[in-house]
Structure formats: C-alpha cells, structure tokens
Amino acid sequence: QVTLVESGGDSVQPGGSLRLSCEASGNTYSYTCMAWFRQTPTNEREGVAMIRSSGGGTWYGDPAKGRFTIAQNNAKNTLYLQMNRLKPEDTATYFCAAGRCGDSDLLNSDQYNYWGQGIQVTVSS
C-alpha cells in the first residue's frame, strides 16, 4: 500500500508560480512512475506530467509544456511540480498518482493505482 499526500496548493494571480509537493509513504518500491493529474471545475481530468522513478524520464501533457516542471527527490520519496506563468485555465484540483506505467500512454490515469486526496490550485486576479 502507498499513501500520497499533496501540499502547496494556493490561490495566485495570473502569471504567478506555485510548487506542489507530494510525499509518498508505505511500499514505495511498488511503483515505477509518478504523475500529476488535474480535474478542472468542469470535471475534465487531464494528465499534467509524469516521471519515471528510475532514470527520471519525463513526459508532459500539452497544457504543461514549457511552463511546468516535474521533479522528484527519491531520498525523500517526494514528487514536485513547479508551475510557472500560471493561467486562469490552470485552476483545478491537482492529484498526485503513482503506478507501474508501461512504455506508452504515460498520462493515462488507468496506469496509476495510487492517488492522493487532491489539492486546490486557483489562478485568478
């Protein structure tokens, strides 16, 4: 079993930055990938970014490319999402996820079987 706890959500103005964190505990050897997803106010779920636990390979969803950076500290079992140049459309509940992902479709939520409780990010002036 793996427990994921997100932190760092907040309300910011457009153009601002936030860093989300996700601390994992439990059997952290049971997954090979971690990712961030988000659920918008219209209940659309989007894959934001993922990272392989070994090797650190990353993949980004279109909304995140060029603005967000995913990173991990394996010694601390912590995942991060640095979000820059935030836009109102980034407003969502952000979820941390972990799983044993394959070689393709890396931001398909079906590949992740451990999920955090979610944390709110609001971008508004």
Side-chain angles (χ1 to χ4, degrees), residues 10-18 84-88 90 122-125:
D10 205 344
S11 295
V12 296
Q13 293 188 341
S17 297
L18 275 179
N84 298 327
R85 304 199 307 276
L86 283 160
K87 305 175 182 179
D90 294 318
T122 301
V123 185
S124 174
S125 56

Side-chain angles (χ1 to χ4, degrees), residues 61-74:
D62 286 342
K65 290 177 181 177
R67 298 188 298 127
F68 296 179
T69 303
I70 190 170
Q72 63 189 354
N73 183 326
N74 287 338

